[in-house]
Amino acid sequence: MQQGKSIDRPLLGVLLTICFGMIIPFSDVFAKILMGSVPLVTILLARFTGQALMSAPALLRNGMKMSGRLWMLTGFRTALQLYSLGLIYIAFRYIPLADAIAIGFISPFLLMLMGKFFLGEQVGPRRISACGVGFIGTMMVIQPSFSEVGVVALIPLASAFTFALYSLTTRQLVREGDPALIQGISGVQGAAMMVLVALVAGSSFEDARIVVPSVDEAWLLFGIAFVGSFAHMLMTWALRLAPAATLAPVQYAEIPFATLMGWLFFAEFPNDVAAMGMMLIVGAGLYIVYRERVVARQKAVEAAQGAQPVQVTPPDPQAATTPAG
């Protein structure tokens, strides 16, 4: 298998992350609808089976050939993704869609710090400021209060921490392997893990069962599988193209789209403060796009200057006799 290489195209990575934020709320809407009637393991099984099927060309082309180390790292990533998705889907039962996602958006801030300390990625003051503004906007969207939300607010927080680890692991993986192959193997691993959970715990826990869905439920499960898999493929490529710290603030763009989905499908209306928070979040993301353009332009200028031949000025005979000072 040809090993993948990390590519420094941060602007494209940012744009892919924005596309991820626009698409993934549809998968969350389908999951929120299904969580009222379909066991969690059935939903996750459909999600990862779809991921494996969508990545079938990469699996067939490479024959699932990957080093033992990458197999183990992919398995760890898959387990993190399953745990994160499972937690956020459970949170949808108790918390409005946008609130659950927004509470979990401490994840980009955690990801930024992890990228700095574990991957050695540069985190400048502008990125820290943009991430801070995005986080303030997040707080304005959800207007958090444990007295109102209760202990259940810890569920999306736990999902956020796990998702940060998942993103960090993805960043490491795509430096060494093909993203399409990684997604395919992860889909196979995730589906196998869910079948194992059903065999072990299906008789004891309702959410661990695998059931045959109705026709309407089957269409929603298909939507979760297709939309979720496609969106995460975009994120996988984004993490290959740009550092995790660069993408962290941009991920806040998912919140206004999730809020829109909550309004359209569940009549969850944001108030004025939440609307202002969404504008802050979008503004932080757009600022990062602007900064990436500036940095890319500066690097291009520096590269062009470095490629020019250096002109050596001949010494001035008179200067050699001039006393220093």
Side-chain angles (χ1 to χ4, degrees), residues 113-317:
L113 296 178
M114 290 178 181
K116 175 179 176 62
F117 291 110
F118 294 109
L119 297 183
E121 296 175 346
Q122 290 186 332
V123 180
R126 290 185 178 89
R127 288 189 182 126
I128 292 176
S129 299
C131 205
V133 170
F135 186 73
I136 291 172
T138 301
M139 295 298 99
M140 293 174 67
V141 170
I142 63 173
Q143 301 159 40
S145 172
F146 277 97
S147 62
E148 296 177 4
V149 178
V151 180
V152 75
L154 295 177
I155 296 178
L157 287 176
S159 175
F161 181 78
T162 309
F163 186 78
L165 290 175
Y166 158 81
S167 299
L168 196 69
T169 306
T170 299
R171 176 65 176 169
Q172 185 62 34
L173 264 172
V174 296
R175 288 176 172 176
E176 305 177 43
D178 176 32
L181 180 61
I182 291 170
Q183 282 292 92
I185 292 177
S186 182
V188 173
Q189 290 175 333
M193 289 178 187
M194 289 299 93
V195 171
L196 181 61
V197 169
L199 291 174
V200 173
S203 60
S204 303
F205 299 96
E206 178 66 26
D207 264 330
R209 295 173 57 222
I210 296 176
V211 300
V212 178
S214 67
V215 175
D216 291 340
E217 291 169 345
W219 278 111
L220 290 173
L221 287 171
F222 175 79
I224 290 176
F226 177 78
V227 175
S229 300
F230 180 68
H232 278 275
M233 175 60 78
L234 292 179
M235 179 56 71
T236 300
W237 273 103
L239 288 166
R240 189 182 185 187
L241 295 167
T246 300
L247 302 181
V250 186
Q251 291 177 17
Y252 286 111
E254 180 182 345
I255 298 175
F257 291 109
T259 303
L260 177 61
M261 294 298 101
W263 174 56
L264 292 176
F265 288 91
F266 307 108
E268 299 166 351
F269 299 96
N271 58 28
D272 293 341
V273 176
M276 291 176 62
M278 285 188 289
M279 287 189 287
L280 284 179
I281 294 165
V282 174
L286 292 177
Y287 178 75
I288 289 295
V289 173
Y290 165 74
R291 281 301 308 164
E292 289 303 330
R293 285 187 173 180
V294 171
V295 172
R297 192 179 301 115
Q298 290 175 344
K299 287 183 178 180
V301 172
E302 292 173 0
Q305 292 176 344
Q308 294 177 355
V310 179
Q311 297 181 352
V312 180
T313 304
D316 186 350

Side-chain angles (χ1 to χ4, degrees), residues 32 91-92 94-101 268:
K32 184 176 176 66
F92 289 159
Y94 310 103
I95 303 175
L97 181 72
D99 286 12
I101 292 175
E268 299 166 351

Side-chain angles (χ1 to χ4, degrees), residues 7-51:
I7 307 169
D8 290 328
R9 298 183 65 183
L11 180 57
L12 181 56
V14 166
L15 293 176
L16 289 178
T17 304
I18 293 174
C19 291
F20 169 86
M22 295 173 64
I23 294 172
I24 197 64
F26 285 96
S27 178
D28 295 333
V29 166
F30 301 152
K32 184 176 176 66
I33 294 172
L34 285 171
M35 281 301 289
S37 59
V38 178
L40 176 63
V41 165
T42 301
I43 296 174
L44 292 174
L45 175 61
R47 165 70 176 78
F48 280 82
T49 300
Q51 180 172 316

